Amino acid sequence: MTETLVQSVIAALSGSVSKEAIVFLISMIPILELRGALLVAGPILGVPVSTAIPLCIIGNIIPVPFILLLITPIFNWMKGTKTLKPMVERLESKAMSKSDQIEKYEFWGLVLFVGIPLPGTGAWTGSLIAALLGVKFKKAFPAVMIGICMATVIMWFISYVLLGGVHLLG
């Protein structure tokens, strides 16, 4: 599914926006985020690491404050509608099924949840869980930021060193 989503985004945007814009936009998409964007940036699009990393970090960060601050009221409103309530309840249930680590260790649990690139983790889901658990913004936002930086290092190594065969800084 992830691979198909990446291919669809690249196909839809190729020719109309730059490779850098594609990387930036992919980093903002739930599920793909920075992890998918760095995998696309190096091995597929050939975007230099010095360009890709800032684009991916900024793109991945942009949705975080909105999720942390606004998702609970939006979900509450959506649950008030007959049509959207089942979808919101599924999203909340799926997110909360992964909340043990964050609930138990809060700050560091959130850092690890966002920072270790496993399926179903990342800034979007980590921010959603933090919001649903009522973690304060001043604690959740820095934890997500550190997690994004951690994921950046891991995905840089995978994308540019292991898969890209590119020099460590080039």
Side-chain angles (χ1 to χ4, degrees), residues 108-162:
W108 292 109
L110 186 53
V111 168
L112 292 173
F113 185 89
V114 172
I116 298 175
L118 296 172
T121 66
W124 276 81
T125 306
S127 297
L128 174 59
I129 293 169
L132 295 174
L133 289 173
V135 178
K136 299 282 186 221
F137 182 88
K138 66 181 183 179
K139 183 180 269 188
F141 188 73
V144 172
M145 293 285 298
I146 294 169
I148 287 172
C149 292
M150 186 174 154
T152 301
V153 172
I154 293 167
M155 292 311 299
W156 157 78
F157 184 78
I158 292 169
S159 300
Y160 283 85
V161 178
L162 293 180

Side-chain angles (χ1 to χ4, degrees), residues 6 19 36 41 82 92 95-96 99 122 126 131 144 148-149 154 160 163:
V6 167
K19 296 184 293 184
K82 198 175 203 171
E92 286 181 336
M96 293 308 285
S99 69
V144 172
I148 287 172
C149 292
I154 293 167
Y160 283 85
L163 298 177

Side-chain angles (χ1 to χ4, degrees), residues 19 23 26 36-48 52-53 56 159-160:
K19 296 184 293 184
V23 170
I26 288 173
L38 277 175
L39 284 172
V40 168
I44 297 172
L45 296 176
V47 175
I53 285 179
C56 290
S159 300
Y160 283 85

